[in-house]
Short mmCIF file of all heavy atoms in Angstrom, two decimals:
data_model
loop_
_atom_site.label_atom_id
_atom_site.label_comp_id
_atom_site.label_asym_id
_atom_site.label_seq_id
_atom_site.Cartn_x
_atom_site.Cartn_y
_atom_site.Cartn_z
N ARG A 836 12.05 -4.66 -1.61
CA ARG A 836 11.94 -4.21 -0.23
C ARG A 836 12.30 -2.74 -0.08
O ARG A 836 11.69 -2.02 0.70
CB ARG A 836 12.87 -5.11 0.57
CG ARG A 836 12.61 -5.38 1.98
CD ARG A 836 11.37 -6.09 2.38
NE ARG A 836 11.21 -5.78 3.80
CZ ARG A 836 10.07 -5.60 4.38
NH1 ARG A 836 8.97 -5.74 3.72
NH2 ARG A 836 10.01 -5.31 5.63
N ALA A 837 13.27 -2.28 -0.86
CA ALA A 837 13.67 -0.87 -0.79
C ALA A 837 12.54 0.04 -1.25
O ALA A 837 12.32 1.10 -0.67
CB ALA A 837 14.92 -0.63 -1.62
N GLN A 838 11.80 -0.40 -2.29
CA GLN A 838 10.69 0.41 -2.78
C GLN A 838 9.59 0.50 -1.73
O GLN A 838 8.99 1.56 -1.54
CB GLN A 838 10.10 -0.16 -4.08
CG GLN A 838 11.00 -0.01 -5.27
CD GLN A 838 12.02 -1.14 -5.38
OE1 GLN A 838 11.95 -2.13 -4.68
NE2 GLN A 838 12.97 -0.96 -6.26
N GLU A 839 9.33 -0.61 -1.05
CA GLU A 839 8.32 -0.59 0.00
C GLU A 839 8.69 0.38 1.11
O GLU A 839 7.88 1.21 1.54
CB GLU A 839 8.10 -1.99 0.58
CG GLU A 839 7.06 -2.01 1.66
CD GLU A 839 6.90 -3.36 2.33
OE1 GLU A 839 7.37 -4.38 1.81
OE2 GLU A 839 6.28 -3.38 3.41
N ALA A 840 9.94 0.31 1.56
CA ALA A 840 10.40 1.22 2.62
C ALA A 840 10.31 2.67 2.17
O ALA A 840 9.87 3.54 2.93
CB ALA A 840 11.84 0.87 3.02
N ALA A 841 10.69 2.93 0.93
CA ALA A 841 10.59 4.29 0.40
C ALA A 841 9.14 4.74 0.34
O ALA A 841 8.82 5.89 0.65
CB ALA A 841 11.24 4.37 -0.98
N GLY A 842 8.26 3.82 -0.04
CA GLY A 842 6.84 4.14 -0.10
C GLY A 842 6.29 4.56 1.24
O GLY A 842 5.56 5.56 1.35
N TRP A 843 6.65 3.81 2.30
CA TRP A 843 6.17 4.16 3.64
C TRP A 843 6.70 5.53 4.07
O TRP A 843 5.97 6.33 4.66
CB TRP A 843 6.55 3.09 4.65
CG TRP A 843 5.75 1.83 4.52
CD1 TRP A 843 6.18 0.62 4.08
CD2 TRP A 843 4.36 1.66 4.82
NE1 TRP A 843 5.15 -0.29 4.08
CE2 TRP A 843 4.03 0.32 4.52
CE3 TRP A 843 3.36 2.51 5.29
CZ2 TRP A 843 2.75 -0.19 4.70
CZ3 TRP A 843 2.08 1.99 5.47
CH2 TRP A 843 1.79 0.66 5.17
N GLU A 844 7.97 5.80 3.78
CA GLU A 844 8.56 7.08 4.16
C GLU A 844 7.87 8.23 3.41
O GLU A 844 7.53 9.26 4.01
CB GLU A 844 10.06 7.09 3.89
CG GLU A 844 10.77 8.31 4.40
CD GLU A 844 10.58 8.55 5.90
OE1 GLU A 844 10.56 7.59 6.70
OE2 GLU A 844 10.43 9.74 6.29
N LEU A 845 7.64 8.05 2.13
CA LEU A 845 6.97 9.08 1.35
C LEU A 845 5.53 9.27 1.81
O LEU A 845 5.03 10.40 1.85
CB LEU A 845 7.00 8.71 -0.14
CG LEU A 845 8.39 8.81 -0.79
CD1 LEU A 845 8.44 8.04 -2.09
CD2 LEU A 845 8.77 10.27 -1.00
N LEU A 846 4.87 8.20 2.19
CA LEU A 846 3.51 8.30 2.72
C LEU A 846 3.50 9.13 4.00
O LEU A 846 2.65 10.01 4.17
CB LEU A 846 2.94 6.90 2.97
CG LEU A 846 1.52 6.83 3.51
CD1 LEU A 846 0.53 7.49 2.56
CD2 LEU A 846 1.13 5.39 3.76
N LYS A 847 4.46 8.88 4.88
CA LYS A 847 4.56 9.68 6.13
C LYS A 847 4.74 11.16 5.82
O LYS A 847 4.27 12.01 6.57
CB LYS A 847 5.75 9.21 6.96
CG LYS A 847 5.55 7.91 7.66
CD LYS A 847 6.74 7.63 8.55
CE LYS A 847 7.03 6.16 8.64
NZ LYS A 847 8.28 5.87 9.32
N GLN A 848 5.43 11.46 4.73
CA GLN A 848 5.69 12.85 4.33
C GLN A 848 4.52 13.46 3.56
O GLN A 848 4.56 14.63 3.20
CB GLN A 848 6.95 12.93 3.48
CG GLN A 848 8.21 12.52 4.21
CD GLN A 848 9.41 12.42 3.27
OE1 GLN A 848 9.39 12.94 2.15
NE2 GLN A 848 10.44 11.76 3.73
N GLY A 849 3.49 12.65 3.29
CA GLY A 849 2.33 13.16 2.57
C GLY A 849 2.52 13.24 1.07
O GLY A 849 1.73 13.87 0.37
N LYS A 850 3.56 12.59 0.56
CA LYS A 850 3.84 12.61 -0.88
C LYS A 850 3.15 11.40 -1.51
O LYS A 850 3.78 10.38 -1.80
CB LYS A 850 5.35 12.60 -1.11
CG LYS A 850 6.02 13.84 -0.55
CD LYS A 850 7.51 13.80 -0.71
CE LYS A 850 8.12 15.08 -0.13
NZ LYS A 850 9.58 15.05 -0.21
N LEU A 851 1.86 11.53 -1.70
CA LEU A 851 1.03 10.40 -2.08
C LEU A 851 1.37 9.85 -3.46
O LEU A 851 1.42 8.63 -3.65
CB LEU A 851 -0.44 10.78 -2.02
CG LEU A 851 -0.96 11.25 -0.66
CD1 LEU A 851 -2.43 11.58 -0.74
CD2 LEU A 851 -0.69 10.20 0.40
N ARG A 852 1.57 10.70 -4.43
CA ARG A 852 1.86 10.22 -5.78
C ARG A 852 3.17 9.44 -5.81
O ARG A 852 3.26 8.37 -6.42
CB ARG A 852 1.90 11.38 -6.76
CG ARG A 852 1.86 10.93 -8.22
CD ARG A 852 1.91 12.09 -9.13
NE ARG A 852 3.21 12.73 -8.88
CZ ARG A 852 3.65 13.81 -9.45
NH1 ARG A 852 2.90 14.43 -10.31
NH2 ARG A 852 4.82 14.31 -9.20
N LEU A 853 4.19 9.96 -5.14
CA LEU A 853 5.48 9.28 -5.10
C LEU A 853 5.39 7.98 -4.30
O LEU A 853 5.98 6.97 -4.69
CB LEU A 853 6.55 10.21 -4.52
CG LEU A 853 6.88 11.44 -5.36
CD1 LEU A 853 7.81 12.37 -4.61
CD2 LEU A 853 7.47 11.03 -6.70
N ALA A 854 4.66 8.01 -3.19
CA ALA A 854 4.48 6.80 -2.39
C ALA A 854 3.78 5.73 -3.20
O ALA A 854 4.18 4.56 -3.21
CB ALA A 854 3.70 7.11 -1.12
N SER A 855 2.74 6.12 -3.90
CA SER A 855 1.99 5.19 -4.73
C SER A 855 2.91 4.52 -5.75
O SER A 855 2.88 3.30 -5.95
CB SER A 855 0.85 5.92 -5.45
OG SER A 855 0.12 5.04 -6.26
N ALA A 856 3.75 5.31 -6.40
CA ALA A 856 4.67 4.77 -7.41
C ALA A 856 5.62 3.76 -6.80
O ALA A 856 5.91 2.72 -7.40
CB ALA A 856 5.44 5.91 -8.07
N GLN A 857 6.10 4.03 -5.58
CA GLN A 857 7.03 3.10 -4.93
C GLN A 857 6.32 1.79 -4.56
O GLN A 857 6.88 0.71 -4.77
CB GLN A 857 7.65 3.75 -3.69
CG GLN A 857 8.61 4.86 -3.99
CD GLN A 857 9.82 4.39 -4.78
OE1 GLN A 857 10.48 3.42 -4.43
NE2 GLN A 857 10.10 5.08 -5.87
N PHE A 858 5.13 1.90 -4.01
CA PHE A 858 4.39 0.69 -3.66
C PHE A 858 4.05 -0.13 -4.91
O PHE A 858 4.15 -1.36 -4.90
CB PHE A 858 3.11 1.03 -2.88
CG PHE A 858 3.37 1.52 -1.49
CD1 PHE A 858 2.77 2.69 -1.03
CD2 PHE A 858 4.18 0.82 -0.61
CE1 PHE A 858 2.99 3.14 0.25
CE2 PHE A 858 4.41 1.27 0.68
CZ PHE A 858 3.81 2.43 1.12
N GLU A 859 3.67 0.55 -5.98
CA GLU A 859 3.35 -0.16 -7.22
C GLU A 859 4.58 -0.85 -7.79
O GLU A 859 4.49 -1.98 -8.28
CB GLU A 859 2.74 0.81 -8.23
CG GLU A 859 1.33 1.22 -7.84
CD GLU A 859 0.76 2.35 -8.68
OE1 GLU A 859 1.46 2.86 -9.58
OE2 GLU A 859 -0.40 2.71 -8.43
N GLU A 860 5.73 -0.21 -7.70
CA GLU A 860 6.97 -0.84 -8.16
C GLU A 860 7.30 -2.06 -7.31
O GLU A 860 7.70 -3.10 -7.84
CB GLU A 860 8.12 0.18 -8.11
CG GLU A 860 9.37 -0.30 -8.80
CD GLU A 860 10.44 0.77 -8.89
OE1 GLU A 860 10.09 1.96 -9.01
OE2 GLU A 860 11.62 0.40 -8.82
N ALA A 861 7.10 -1.96 -6.01
CA ALA A 861 7.33 -3.11 -5.13
C ALA A 861 6.40 -4.25 -5.49
O ALA A 861 6.80 -5.43 -5.45
CB ALA A 861 7.14 -2.69 -3.67
N LEU A 862 5.16 -3.93 -5.86
CA LEU A 862 4.19 -4.97 -6.22
C LEU A 862 4.52 -5.62 -7.56
O LEU A 862 4.14 -6.77 -7.78
CB LEU A 862 2.78 -4.39 -6.23
CG LEU A 862 2.20 -4.14 -4.84
CD1 LEU A 862 0.92 -3.34 -4.93
CD2 LEU A 862 1.97 -5.46 -4.11
N GLU A 863 5.20 -4.92 -8.43
CA GLU A 863 5.64 -5.53 -9.68
C GLU A 863 6.60 -6.69 -9.39
O GLU A 863 6.55 -7.73 -10.04
CB GLU A 863 6.31 -4.51 -10.59
CG GLU A 863 5.34 -3.56 -11.24
CD GLU A 863 6.03 -2.52 -12.11
OE1 GLU A 863 7.19 -2.74 -12.53
OE2 GLU A 863 5.40 -1.48 -12.35
N ALA A 864 7.46 -6.50 -8.40
CA ALA A 864 8.43 -7.53 -8.04
C ALA A 864 7.79 -8.64 -7.21
O ALA A 864 8.19 -9.80 -7.31
CB ALA A 864 9.59 -6.90 -7.27
N ALA A 865 6.82 -8.30 -6.39
CA ALA A 865 6.17 -9.28 -5.50
C ALA A 865 4.68 -8.95 -5.44
O ALA A 865 4.22 -8.28 -4.51
CB ALA A 865 6.80 -9.23 -4.12
N PRO A 866 3.90 -9.42 -6.42
CA PRO A 866 2.49 -9.01 -6.55
C PRO A 866 1.59 -9.35 -5.37
O PRO A 866 0.56 -8.71 -5.21
CB PRO A 866 2.02 -9.76 -7.80
CG PRO A 866 3.25 -10.17 -8.53
CD PRO A 866 4.33 -10.28 -7.50
N HIS A 867 1.96 -10.29 -4.55
CA HIS A 867 1.10 -10.69 -3.44
C HIS A 867 1.72 -10.36 -2.08
O HIS A 867 1.41 -11.00 -1.08
CB HIS A 867 0.79 -12.19 -3.53
CG HIS A 867 0.16 -12.56 -4.84
ND1 HIS A 867 -1.12 -12.19 -5.17
CD2 HIS A 867 0.65 -13.22 -5.91
CE1 HIS A 867 -1.39 -12.62 -6.39
NE2 HIS A 867 -0.34 -13.25 -6.86
N SER A 868 2.54 -9.34 -2.05
CA SER A 868 3.20 -8.93 -0.81
C SER A 868 2.29 -8.01 0.00
O SER A 868 1.81 -6.98 -0.49
CB SER A 868 4.52 -8.22 -1.13
OG SER A 868 5.17 -7.83 0.05
N ALA A 869 2.04 -8.40 1.23
CA ALA A 869 1.10 -7.67 2.08
C ALA A 869 1.52 -6.22 2.36
O ALA A 869 0.68 -5.32 2.38
CB ALA A 869 0.89 -8.41 3.40
N GLY A 870 2.80 -5.99 2.56
CA GLY A 870 3.26 -4.64 2.91
C GLY A 870 2.94 -3.60 1.86
O GLY A 870 2.30 -2.58 2.16
N PRO A 871 3.36 -3.82 0.61
CA PRO A 871 3.03 -2.83 -0.42
C PRO A 871 1.53 -2.73 -0.70
O PRO A 871 1.03 -1.65 -1.00
CB PRO A 871 3.78 -3.33 -1.66
CG PRO A 871 4.84 -4.22 -1.15
CD PRO A 871 4.32 -4.80 0.13
N LEU A 872 0.81 -3.85 -0.60
CA LEU A 872 -0.64 -3.80 -0.78
C LEU A 872 -1.28 -2.89 0.28
O LEU A 872 -2.11 -2.04 -0.04
CB LEU A 872 -1.24 -5.19 -0.70
CG LEU A 872 -1.01 -6.10 -1.91
CD1 LEU A 872 -1.34 -7.55 -1.57
CD2 LEU A 872 -1.82 -5.62 -3.10
N ALA A 873 -0.87 -3.07 1.53
CA ALA A 873 -1.41 -2.24 2.61
C ALA A 873 -0.99 -0.79 2.44
O ALA A 873 -1.80 0.13 2.62
CB ALA A 873 -0.95 -2.77 3.96
N GLY A 874 0.27 -0.57 2.07
CA GLY A 874 0.75 0.79 1.86
C GLY A 874 -0.05 1.50 0.79
O GLY A 874 -0.45 2.66 0.95
N LEU A 875 -0.28 0.80 -0.31
CA LEU A 875 -1.08 1.39 -1.39
C LEU A 875 -2.51 1.63 -0.92
O LEU A 875 -3.13 2.63 -1.29
CB LEU A 875 -1.03 0.47 -2.61
CG LEU A 875 -1.43 1.06 -3.95
CD1 LEU A 875 -0.67 2.34 -4.27
CD2 LEU A 875 -1.21 0.03 -5.04
N GLY A 876 -3.00 0.77 -0.05
CA GLY A 876 -4.32 0.98 0.54
C GLY A 876 -4.38 2.28 1.34
O GLY A 876 -5.35 3.04 1.24
N TYR A 877 -3.34 2.55 2.12
CA TYR A 877 -3.30 3.80 2.89
C TYR A 877 -3.22 5.01 1.96
O TYR A 877 -3.84 6.05 2.24
CB TYR A 877 -2.13 3.80 3.88
CG TYR A 877 -2.41 2.98 5.10
CD1 TYR A 877 -1.77 1.77 5.31
CD2 TYR A 877 -3.33 3.40 6.05
CE1 TYR A 877 -2.02 1.00 6.43
CE2 TYR A 877 -3.59 2.64 7.19
CZ TYR A 877 -2.94 1.45 7.36
OH TYR A 877 -3.20 0.69 8.47
N VAL A 878 -2.47 4.88 0.88
CA VAL A 878 -2.42 5.97 -0.10
C VAL A 878 -3.82 6.24 -0.64
O VAL A 878 -4.28 7.38 -0.68
CB VAL A 878 -1.45 5.65 -1.26
CG1 VAL A 878 -1.59 6.67 -2.38
CG2 VAL A 878 -0.01 5.60 -0.76
N ARG A 879 -4.51 5.17 -1.03
CA ARG A 879 -5.86 5.34 -1.59
C ARG A 879 -6.82 5.93 -0.57
O ARG A 879 -7.70 6.73 -0.92
CB ARG A 879 -6.40 4.01 -2.12
CG ARG A 879 -5.58 3.43 -3.26
CD ARG A 879 -5.58 4.33 -4.48
NE ARG A 879 -4.75 3.77 -5.53
CZ ARG A 879 -3.54 4.24 -5.85
NH1 ARG A 879 -3.02 5.29 -5.23
NH2 ARG A 879 -2.85 3.67 -6.81
N MET A 880 -6.67 5.58 0.70
CA MET A 880 -7.51 6.20 1.74
C MET A 880 -7.27 7.71 1.78
O MET A 880 -8.22 8.48 1.85
CB MET A 880 -7.19 5.61 3.12
CG MET A 880 -7.89 4.32 3.39
SD MET A 880 -7.58 3.66 5.05
CE MET A 880 -7.74 5.06 6.11
N GLN A 881 -6.00 8.11 1.75
CA GLN A 881 -5.68 9.53 1.78
C GLN A 881 -6.23 10.26 0.56
O GLN A 881 -6.56 11.44 0.63
CB GLN A 881 -4.16 9.74 1.87
CG GLN A 881 -3.56 9.30 3.18
CD GLN A 881 -4.07 10.13 4.34
OE1 GLN A 881 -4.14 11.35 4.27
NE2 GLN A 881 -4.45 9.45 5.41
N GLU A 882 -6.31 9.54 -0.55
CA GLU A 882 -6.87 10.11 -1.78
C GLU A 882 -8.41 10.05 -1.78
O GLU A 882 -9.03 10.47 -2.76
CB GLU A 882 -6.34 9.34 -3.00
CG GLU A 882 -4.86 9.48 -3.21
CD GLU A 882 -4.31 8.57 -4.29
OE1 GLU A 882 -4.92 7.50 -4.58
OE2 GLU A 882 -3.26 8.91 -4.84
N LYS A 883 -8.97 9.52 -0.72
CA LYS A 883 -10.42 9.35 -0.56
C LYS A 883 -11.00 8.39 -1.60
O LYS A 883 -12.16 8.49 -2.00
CB LYS A 883 -11.14 10.70 -0.58
CG LYS A 883 -10.66 11.62 0.54
CD LYS A 883 -11.54 12.78 0.73
CE LYS A 883 -11.07 13.77 1.77
NZ LYS A 883 -10.28 13.31 2.87
N ARG A 884 -10.19 7.43 -2.01
CA ARG A 884 -10.61 6.37 -2.93
C ARG A 884 -10.87 5.13 -2.07
O ARG A 884 -10.11 4.17 -2.07
CB ARG A 884 -9.53 6.12 -3.98
CG ARG A 884 -9.37 7.31 -4.92
CD ARG A 884 -8.20 7.18 -5.86
NE ARG A 884 -8.23 5.94 -6.62
CZ ARG A 884 -7.24 5.55 -7.42
NH1 ARG A 884 -6.17 6.31 -7.59
NH2 ARG A 884 -7.33 4.40 -8.07
N PHE A 885 -11.95 5.19 -1.31
CA PHE A 885 -12.19 4.21 -0.26
C PHE A 885 -12.46 2.80 -0.77
O PHE A 885 -12.02 1.83 -0.16
CB PHE A 885 -13.32 4.70 0.65
CG PHE A 885 -12.99 6.03 1.30
CD1 PHE A 885 -13.74 7.15 1.02
CD2 PHE A 885 -11.92 6.14 2.16
CE1 PHE A 885 -13.45 8.38 1.61
CE2 PHE A 885 -11.60 7.36 2.76
CZ PHE A 885 -12.37 8.47 2.48
N ALA A 886 -13.16 2.67 -1.88
CA ALA A 886 -13.42 1.33 -2.43
C ALA A 886 -12.11 0.67 -2.85
O ALA A 886 -11.89 -0.52 -2.59
CB ALA A 886 -14.39 1.40 -3.60
N ASP A 887 -11.23 1.45 -3.48
CA ASP A 887 -9.92 0.91 -3.87
C ASP A 887 -9.11 0.53 -2.64
O ASP A 887 -8.45 -0.51 -2.61
CB ASP A 887 -9.15 1.94 -4.70
CG ASP A 887 -9.77 2.20 -6.06
OD1 ASP A 887 -10.50 1.33 -6.56
OD2 ASP A 887 -9.51 3.29 -6.62
N ALA A 888 -9.15 1.39 -1.62
CA ALA A 888 -8.41 1.11 -0.38
C ALA A 888 -8.91 -0.18 0.25
O ALA A 888 -8.11 -1.03 0.66
CB ALA A 888 -8.55 2.28 0.59
N GLU A 889 -10.22 -0.33 0.32
CA GLU A 889 -10.80 -1.53 0.92
C GLU A 889 -10.35 -2.79 0.19
O GLU A 889 -9.99 -3.79 0.82
CB GLU A 889 -12.32 -1.43 0.92
CG GLU A 889 -12.99 -2.58 1.60
CD GLU A 889 -14.50 -2.44 1.64
OE1 GLU A 889 -15.06 -1.57 0.95
OE2 GLU A 889 -15.13 -3.21 2.38
N GLU A 890 -10.34 -2.74 -1.13
CA GLU A 890 -9.91 -3.91 -1.92
C GLU A 890 -8.43 -4.22 -1.69
O GLU A 890 -8.05 -5.38 -1.55
CB GLU A 890 -10.18 -3.64 -3.41
CG GLU A 890 -9.73 -4.76 -4.32
CD GLU A 890 -10.47 -6.07 -4.11
OE1 GLU A 890 -11.52 -6.10 -3.44
OE2 GLU A 890 -9.99 -7.10 -4.63
N LEU A 891 -7.60 -3.19 -1.61
CA LEU A 891 -6.18 -3.41 -1.35
C LEU A 891 -5.95 -3.99 0.04
O LEU A 891 -5.13 -4.90 0.22
CB LEU A 891 -5.41 -2.11 -1.53
CG LEU A 891 -5.25 -1.69 -2.99
CD1 LEU A 891 -4.96 -0.21 -3.10
CD2 LEU A 891 -4.18 -2.53 -3.67
N PHE A 892 -6.69 -3.51 1.03
CA PHE A 892 -6.56 -4.06 2.38
C PHE A 892 -7.03 -5.52 2.42
O PHE A 892 -6.44 -6.35 3.11
CB PHE A 892 -7.34 -3.22 3.40
CG PHE A 892 -6.74 -1.87 3.66
CD1 PHE A 892 -7.54 -0.76 3.79
CD2 PHE A 892 -5.38 -1.71 3.81
CE1 PHE A 892 -7.01 0.49 4.05
CE2 PHE A 892 -4.81 -0.47 4.06
CZ PHE A 892 -5.63 0.63 4.18
N ARG A 893 -8.08 -5.83 1.67
CA ARG A 893 -8.55 -7.21 1.60
C ARG A 893 -7.46 -8.12 1.01
O ARG A 893 -7.17 -9.18 1.54
CB ARG A 893 -9.82 -7.31 0.75
CG ARG A 893 -10.45 -8.70 0.76
CD ARG A 893 -11.50 -8.88 -0.32
NE ARG A 893 -10.96 -8.76 -1.66
CZ ARG A 893 -10.20 -9.69 -2.26
NH1 ARG A 893 -9.89 -10.80 -1.64
NH2 ARG A 893 -9.77 -9.51 -3.49
N LYS A 894 -6.84 -7.66 -0.06
CA LYS A 894 -5.76 -8.43 -0.68
C LYS A 894 -4.58 -8.60 0.28
O LYS A 894 -3.97 -9.66 0.33
CB LYS A 894 -5.30 -7.76 -1.97
CG LYS A 894 -6.30 -7.88 -3.10
CD LYS A 894 -5.77 -7.19 -4.34
CE LYS A 894 -6.75 -7.30 -5.49
NZ LYS A 894 -6.26 -6.62 -6.70
N ALA A 895 -4.27 -7.54 1.03
CA ALA A 895 -3.16 -7.62 1.99
C ALA A 895 -3.48 -8.64 3.08
O ALA A 895 -2.61 -9.42 3.49
CB ALA A 895 -2.89 -6.25 2.61
N ARG A 896 -4.70 -8.66 3.52
CA ARG A 896 -5.12 -9.61 4.57
C ARG A 896 -5.03 -11.05 4.07
O ARG A 896 -4.61 -11.94 4.78
CB ARG A 896 -6.51 -9.29 5.05
CG ARG A 896 -6.94 -10.15 6.18
CD ARG A 896 -7.89 -9.39 7.05
NE ARG A 896 -8.08 -10.14 8.25
CZ ARG A 896 -7.88 -9.68 9.44
NH1 ARG A 896 -7.47 -8.45 9.59
NH2 ARG A 896 -8.08 -10.41 10.49
N VAL A 897 -5.42 -11.28 2.81
CA VAL A 897 -5.32 -12.61 2.21
C VAL A 897 -3.84 -13.01 2.09
O VAL A 897 -3.48 -14.15 2.33
CB VAL A 897 -6.02 -12.65 0.84
CG1 VAL A 897 -5.68 -13.90 0.07
CG2 VAL A 897 -7.53 -12.51 1.01
N ALA A 898 -2.99 -12.04 1.73
CA ALA A 898 -1.57 -12.31 1.55
C ALA A 898 -0.88 -12.64 2.86
O ALA A 898 0.09 -13.40 2.88
CB ALA A 898 -0.89 -11.12 0.89
N ALA A 899 -1.35 -12.08 3.95
CA ALA A 899 -0.72 -12.31 5.26
C ALA A 899 -1.78 -12.45 6.34
O ALA A 899 -1.97 -11.56 7.17
CB ALA A 899 0.22 -11.16 5.59
N PRO A 900 -2.51 -13.57 6.34
CA PRO A 900 -3.61 -13.72 7.31
C PRO A 900 -3.16 -13.75 8.76
O PRO A 900 -3.96 -13.49 9.65
CB PRO A 900 -4.25 -15.05 6.90
CG PRO A 900 -3.19 -15.77 6.16
CD PRO A 900 -2.35 -14.71 5.49
N GLU A 901 -1.87 -14.01 9.00
CA GLU A 901 -1.40 -14.05 10.39
C GLU A 901 -1.24 -12.67 10.99
O GLU A 901 -1.16 -12.52 12.20
CB GLU A 901 -0.05 -14.81 10.46
CG GLU A 901 1.12 -14.07 9.86
CD GLU A 901 1.22 -14.13 8.33
OE1 GLU A 901 0.37 -14.77 7.69
OE2 GLU A 901 2.14 -13.50 7.79
N LYS A 902 -1.23 -11.62 10.16
CA LYS A 902 -1.13 -10.26 10.65
C LYS A 902 -2.53 -9.74 10.93
O LYS A 902 -3.38 -9.72 10.07
CB LYS A 902 -0.41 -9.37 9.65
CG LYS A 902 1.04 -9.76 9.48
CD LYS A 902 1.76 -8.76 8.64
CE LYS A 902 3.22 -9.17 8.56
NZ LYS A 902 4.01 -8.22 7.83
N LYS A 903 -2.74 -9.28 12.15
CA LYS A 903 -4.09 -8.83 12.56
C LYS A 903 -4.28 -7.34 12.42
O LYS A 903 -5.39 -6.86 12.42
CB LYS A 903 -4.34 -9.25 14.02
CG LYS A 903 -4.24 -10.72 14.25
CD LYS A 903 -5.35 -11.46 13.55
CE LYS A 903 -5.27 -12.93 13.87
NZ LYS A 903 -5.98 -13.77 12.95
N GLU A 904 -3.21 -6.55 12.34
CA GLU A 904 -3.37 -5.09 12.29
C GLU A 904 -3.73 -4.61 10.93
O GLU A 904 -3.68 -5.18 9.93
CB GLU A 904 -2.13 -4.35 12.78
CG GLU A 904 -0.88 -4.54 11.98
CD GLU A 904 -0.09 -5.81 12.27
OE1 GLU A 904 -0.39 -6.54 13.19
OE2 GLU A 904 0.83 -6.08 11.50
#
């Protein structure tokens, strides 16, 4: 959970490489966690890696179908 929170904060600061590393570390501990999947999706969007972002958002939606945002 700490890595996920750090990832979101780094993403807000525009530190994409560091944010990506935090989200990936969070996913190592919980591979199907919607938060880090979505966070990594936002990183990939900022990197203009849209296909990767779309796949990560799809996985996040599957992981937490009750979340609509």
Side-chain angles (χ1 to χ4, degrees):
R836 208 62 199 144
Q838 289 85 10
E839 180 184 345
W843 287 110
E844 187 57 38
L845 290 162
L846 180 60
K847 286 185 213 171
Q848 296 172 17
K850 297 177 180 177
L851 301 181
R852 194 181 62 182
L853 294 173
S855 180
Q857 290 297 310
F858 289 130
E859 288 171 359
E860 191 173 327
L862 286 169
E863 285 178 21
H867 304 289
S868 180
L872 286 166
L875 198 52
Y877 282 108
V878 170
R879 298 297 178 255
M880 277 183 44
Q881 292 295 315
E882 295 172 336
K883 300 194 184 330
R884 293 173 54 186
F885 300 116
D887 292 337
E889 184 178 12
E890 178 64 13
L891 287 159
F892 290 139
R893 186 193 63 73
K894 288 180 180 179
R896 185 150 191 125
V897 168
E901 71 280 0
K902 294 188 177 183
K903 302 293 183 199
E904 64 278 352

